[in-house]
Amino acid sequence: MGMSKSLSCFGYPLSIFFILVNEFCERFSYYGMRAILVLYFRNFIGWDDNLSTAIYHTFVALCYLTPILGALIADSWLGKFKTIISLSIVYTIGQAVISVSSIHDLTDHNHDGTPDSISVHVVLSMIGLVLIALGTGGIKPCVSAFGGDQFEEGQEKRRNRFFSIFYLAINAGSLLSTIITPILRVQQCGIHSQQACYPLAFGVPAALMAVSLIVFIAGSGMYKKFQPQGNIMAKVVKCIGFAVKNRFRHRSKEFPKREHWLDWAKERYDERLISQIKMVTRVMFLYIPLPMFWALFDQQGSRWTLQATTMTGRFGAIEIQPDQMQTVNAILIVIMVPIVDAVAYPLIAKCGLNFTSLKKMTVGMFLASMAFVAAGIVQVEIDKTLPVFPQGNQVQIQVLNIGNSSMTVYFPEETVTIDQWSQTDDFLTIEIDRLRSINISSPGSSVTEVSHEFEQGHRHTLLVWAPSGYRVVKDGLNKKPEKGENGIRFVNTLMGTMSVEMSGKVYENIASRDATEYQFFPSGTKSFTINSTEIAQECPRDFQSSNLDFGSAYTYVVRREGNGCLEVKHFEDIPPNTVSMALQIPQYFLLTCGEVVFSITGLEFSYSQAPSNMKSVLQAGWLLTVAFGNIIVLIVAGAGQISKQWAEYILFAALLLVVCVIFAIMAQFYTYVNPAEIEAQFDEDEKKKKAGESNLYSNLEPVSQTKM
């Protein structure tokens, strides 16, 4: 033990506050770095979306696998205190390395703003990430267990409250960093050329990590420190191995059964170790169904964010971008933890219900399952408003008349007449094998056949301006624009080429009577400038777009009026999203409530049910369930593409419900233990044994003297 008298504040050990500040800084640092990692891979290193996402998920999974390593180091070699310090140093170095890897001037010898040897940056950032994964994972199980160690026997209530506050610190750190880090990233910096400031965005987390380390060391004199007790993990593995072997040897009927399979290790190992291992294996067995909860929980970063991109982020005057919805979770946690802790639990206790840890966790799983039902319902609402896109064997065609007279187009199943400067209301959907011929004619002219190889599964626009004048353009959009942005393309009806610049993006050399590809813009009104030799001197070249919403697509047709000035007319290709992102709040609320009763309880349950020399190991076991949850998502997402997204949500909800029932049944058979009491009992027995032995000798001695 480190110190005899521990200082206290509000009845909590003062050392706790150092641990909480440390955790806040560490989480700020970790989430801050994670928030911009994918963007850094994509924009700075230049990897595509898939590779960036794959590396990102691998990194996250690694961060949840390394806790086992940290726990082993802490419980068997260095002790929690030294482990936290040494791995925090590794962590800080990792953060510093990744900051350095993002300085483009590092290898940019010709000062053109792009690094000359990208491989140096890749290698550095990978080294940085491995060090960070080692650090963040390694200290994770130790910090929470070390915090729990600071409490005396009989302070269970305060200790549980500590785990709640600890969880609050985690979320406050992540909330602030997800808001602040992206702001830092868009700053400009650089020695020879200005660029998006990744070094600053990575550097702030690195600096905070250093602060976190200093704060933790500052409290050093106040901590209660337990000495590690030899290589505990090796002992556990050997003991289990021996028990299994021994049980197998005595499998025939003539040997008496033993109460517990671990009792077969009695020949070689002492009772204390066996009873400690029993505690751990009982809890580990309970953990088997838990990854399913995390599999649902971790989809709010991926699936739910994608759902938000098909919704509108207008809340009256405020506008929210889809990826900002994730902060709802952290905001709700910061609100809900105190409410649940100070209001909900006491109320349940007043009603005379014994709301045990495992019951809380079962309720948490149920709530998460309901959250996915809510997400499914929202998805059904969204699906009602989504445009119909072509299936694999279909083609969709719309007609845009950019000529001066009305035109008639004969499709296999129907005939469409379009006035000048107008467009068909909707896309016509045609099976590819039915699409024999399309013909165009205008009043008093012969019929022309459209010869074009239509690409199946895509939308096309047929531009017509004369019976023999047409062009087919492949739209390239067969789903809603990503990230809730808006697609805009231009059609040039002038005689020569023109180019357009629209809020920083350029459409170059648009040929006469041709359409550009779509480019994508976030919500709001955009201004654009048209350049062409055909514009008269006195005419304006600057125009305003309509106020763009979320997830729409438009075609802007540019034509010349009689007076030589340009007119821009826009047609809607994909209507904007209409379902409000506010509808996602119920599912976030349900999931957050589930998380509060599930996750905090899990931390505290893992601590309270673990023997003193295996506290970190069980915390690491708890974190492993998170890692496996991530792996389940990767498998399910990779294995089956369920065509209807709502069905996938309901499937997940059903899976978790089944798991929830299984867990509830398992929990019925679990008996809560108090490891401290059991260990005290063993100490007592040992003392008695020792006392008994020494009495034996003292009784013998006088006898032998008289005999002489």
Side-chain angles (χ1 to χ4, degrees):
M1 300 287 280
M3 226 189 121
S4 50
K5 183 185 173 301
S6 57
L7 301 162
S8 77
C9 165
F10 303 122
Y12 290 88
L14 192 59
S15 50
I16 285 299
F17 296 96
F18 288 92
I19 294 172
L20 287 171
V21 171
N22 164 275
E23 181 64 13
F24 172 83
C25 295
E26 190 273 324
R27 293 283 85 191
F28 186 104
S29 168
Y30 171 74
Y31 282 105
M33 187 247 4
R34 219 175 84 167
I36 58 166
L37 202 54
V38 173
L39 290 169
Y40 169 69
F41 288 155
R42 226 176 46 197
N43 305 345
F44 186 90
I45 294 180
W47 289 337
D48 65 0
D49 279 10
N50 292 339
L51 183 59
S52 303
T53 317
I55 300 272
Y56 169 80
H57 274 294
T58 312
F59 168 70
V60 173
L62 196 62
C63 287
Y64 283 102
L65 291 170
T66 47
I68 288 292
L69 213 63
L72 295 184
I73 297 172
D75 278 351
S76 39
W77 178 37
L78 289 176
K80 299 184 193 87
F81 178 71
K82 285 183 182 151
T83 307
I84 295 172
I85 288 182
S86 45
L87 285 175
S88 292
I89 293 171
V90 169
Y91 193 164
T92 314
I93 294 169
Q95 291 274 29
V97 168
I98 200 163
S99 310
V100 171
S101 84
S102 67
I103 302 174
H104 62 274
D105 293 314
L106 190 66
T107 60
D108 183 16
H109 305 304
N110 56 3
H111 307 331
D112 64 349
T114 51
D116 298 350
S117 58
I118 204 78
S119 56
V120 174
H121 295 271
V122 174
V123 169
L124 275 176
S125 62
M126 289 304 119
I127 293 172
L129 285 180
V130 169
L131 291 175
I132 290 171
L134 262 177
T136 183
I139 67 179
K140 231 190 221 123
C142 306
V143 177
S144 52
F146 188 66
D149 284 352
Q150 305 309 310
F151 293 88
E152 308 288 336
E153 259 307 288
Q155 282 194 310
E156 279 76 16
K157 266 223 162 87
R158 292 222 162 97
R159 191 180 65 204
N160 292 355
R161 177 70 46 94
F162 159 73
F163 282 111
S164 291
I165 301 171
F166 182 79
Y167 208 76
L168 239 168
I170 292 178
N171 281 281
S174 76
L175 173 63
L176 283 171
S177 69
T178 37
I179 295 169
I180 294 170
T181 320
I183 298 172
L184 297 174
R185 180 179 63 81
V186 296
Q187 305 301 321
Q188 296 281 316
C189 64
I191 307 167
H192 301 292
S193 61
Q194 295 292 306
Q195 257 186 352
C197 205
Y198 287 104
L200 177 65
F202 284 131
V204 170
L208 255 171
M209 199 50 224
V211 170
S212 148
L213 183 58
I214 293 162
V215 167
F216 187 72
I217 295 173
S220 175
M222 297 176 203
Y223 300 137
K224 276 173 39 182
K225 300 171 195 165
F226 292 101
Q227 287 313 307
Q229 307 175 350
N231 191 347
I232 189 75
M233 212 51 204
K235 261 192 213 155
V236 169
V237 171
K238 278 184 189 150
C239 178
I240 291 177
F242 178 72
V244 171
K245 262 205 316 244
N246 203 19
R247 169 80 189 81
F248 189 70
R249 273 202 212 107
H250 302 90
R251 63 185 178 281
S252 70
K253 289 277 188 293
E254 69 246 30
F255 298 104
K257 276 204 167 74
R258 296 187 186 180
E259 203 179 320
H260 190 285
W261 61 274
L262 273 164
D263 293 336
W264 287 97
K266 274 182 182 157
E267 281 89 331
R268 198 179 288 178
Y269 295 91
D270 66 335
E271 296 249 345
R272 174 185 291 229
L273 181 71
I274 291 176
S275 82
Q276 287 172 336
I277 297 175
K278 280 182 191 167
M279 293 183 217
V280 172
T281 50
R282 278 197 195 109
V283 176
M284 285 298 202
F285 175 67
L286 267 184
Y287 282 175
I288 295 170
L290 301 187
M292 202 61 221
F293 173 88
W294 296 115
L296 273 75
F297 181 77
D298 283 328
Q299 289 188 50
Q300 49 183 347
S302 49
R303 281 274 185 264
W304 286 13
T305 306
L306 286 175
Q307 187 184 51
T309 63
T310 59
M311 306 172 85
T312 171
R314 286 231 169 105
F315 288 91
I318 327 164
E319 277 206 357
I320 299 186
Q321 294 306 323
D323 50 351
Q324 286 173 318
M325 277 304 285
Q326 283 175 57
T327 52
V328 171
N329 172 251
I331 295 168
L332 282 172
I333 284 270
V334 175
I335 301 168
M336 291 305 298
V337 169
I339 292 177
V340 167
D341 233 38
V343 182
Y345 289 163
L347 269 178
I348 293 171
K350 268 214 176 82
C351 297
L353 289 168
N354 180 14
F355 202 29
T356 56
S357 296
L358 294 175
K359 281 182 192 158
K360 287 177 188 170
M361 288 164 75
T362 313
V363 169
M365 289 163 97
F366 177 73
L367 287 169
S369 170
M370 289 305 101
F372 266 68
V373 172
I377 294 169
V378 170
Q379 190 62 48
V380 169
E381 283 307 306
I382 294 170
D383 288 347
K384 284 181 193 163
T385 66
L386 287 181
V388 180
F389 291 105
Q391 306 283 313
N393 61 343
Q394 295 173 334
V395 171
Q396 285 186 340
I397 306 171
Q398 67 171 353
V399 185
L400 174 55
N401 182 354
I402 53 174
N404 294 326
S405 62
S406 72
M407 310 282 288
T408 307
V409 181
Y410 303 95
F411 287 101
E413 313 257 308
E414 56 184 304
T415 303
V416 187
T417 303
I418 302 113
D419 294 332
Q420 58 182 52
W421 300 108
S422 66
Q423 171 173 303
T424 45
D425 296 335
D426 218 349
F427 281 85
L428 292 170
T429 306
I430 304 169
E431 305 283 324
I432 195 83
D433 44 11
R434 291 247 179 89
L435 188 60
R436 288 182 209 83
S437 68
I438 299 175
N439 298 303
I440 309 172
S441 77
S442 67
S445 74
S446 59
V447 177
T448 312
E449 185 175 349
V450 174
S451 60
H452 181 80
E453 282 294 317
F454 287 94
E455 197 174 324
Q456 49 190 46
H458 278 280
R459 293 185 142 188
H460 301 77
T461 300
L462 173 61
L463 300 176
V464 291
W465 54 88
S468 54
Y470 70 88
R471 172 172 275 151
V472 178
V473 181
K474 182 180 131 191
D475 283 15
L477 266 186
N478 49 5
K479 57 176 191 293
K480 279 271 190 183
E482 282 182 3
K483 299 191 198 69
E485 294 186 324
N486 303 278
I488 289 182
R489 63 175 175 182
F490 284 87
V491 171
N492 176 9
T493 67
L494 310 176
M495 292 291 106
T497 59
M498 67 171 203
S499 61
V500 181
E501 194 210 354
M502 189 167 191
S503 76
K505 297 190 176 177
V506 182
Y507 299 84
E508 283 195 287
N509 303 335
I510 312 166
S512 173
R513 296 190 173 128
D514 198 0
T516 65
E517 295 278 323
Y518 286 101
Q519 301 213 47
F520 298 97
F521 303 90
S523 56
T525 310
K526 309 280 170 257
S527 48
F528 58 96
T529 310
I530 300 177
N531 283 315
S532 157
T533 50
E534 297 174 42
I535 309 177
Q537 252 2 84
E538 68 283 353
C539 292
R541 291 162 181 265
D542 295 331
F543 299 85
Q544 290 279 335
S545 76
S546 58
N547 191 0
L548 302 174
D549 219 9
F550 290 82
S552 62
Y554 292 97
T555 301
Y556 281 49
V557 179
V558 180
R559 66 168 176 180
R560 195 167 166 212
E561 291 184 315
N563 59 6
C565 289
L566 297 186
E567 184 201 2
V568 178
K569 194 170 178 186
H570 66 265
F571 297 99
E572 183 181 83
D573 298 329
I574 297 178
N577 305 338
T578 50
V579 181
S580 167
M581 281 183 208
L583 279 188
Q584 274 197 324
I585 291 174
Q587 71 207 48
Y588 273 104
F589 177 74
L590 283 165
L591 192 64
T592 303
C593 291
E595 181 191 359
V596 171
V597 290
F598 179 87
S599 196
I600 298 175
T601 315
L603 279 175
E604 162 234 309
F605 176 78
S606 308
Y607 184 88
S608 71
Q609 298 300 301
S612 61
N613 54 354
M614 303 183 201
K615 299 280 191 204
S616 301
V617 171
L618 257 194
Q619 291 286 330
W622 171 251
L623 291 165
L624 263 185
T625 63
V626 183
F628 284 121
N630 265 317
I631 293 165
I632 292 177
V633 175
L634 288 175
I635 292 169
V636 171
Q641 282 299 320
I642 299 179
S643 56
K644 292 270 182 267
Q645 183 60 55
W646 66 263
E648 188 181 295
Y649 288 142
I650 301 295
L651 172 76
F652 271 115
L655 282 174
L656 186 58
L657 250 179
V658 171
V659 168
C660 176
V661 172
I662 294 171
F663 181 73
I665 295 166
M666 285 165 67
Q668 284 300 312
F669 293 101
Y670 183 83
T671 36
Y672 292 87
V673 294
N674 184 340
E677 267 175 28
I678 294 174
E679 281 167 26
Q681 190 58 51
F682 277 114
D683 289 342
E684 199 71 6
D685 294 352
E686 271 165 32
K687 265 195 203 126
K688 275 185 195 151
K689 249 192 207 149
K690 280 210 178 98
E693 281 166 12
S694 58
N695 283 346
L696 228 68
Y697 293 124
S698 57
N699 291 348
L700 292 175
E701 278 175 320
V703 181
S704 55
Q705 277 174 351
T706 50
K707 278 203 171 158
M708 276 170 76

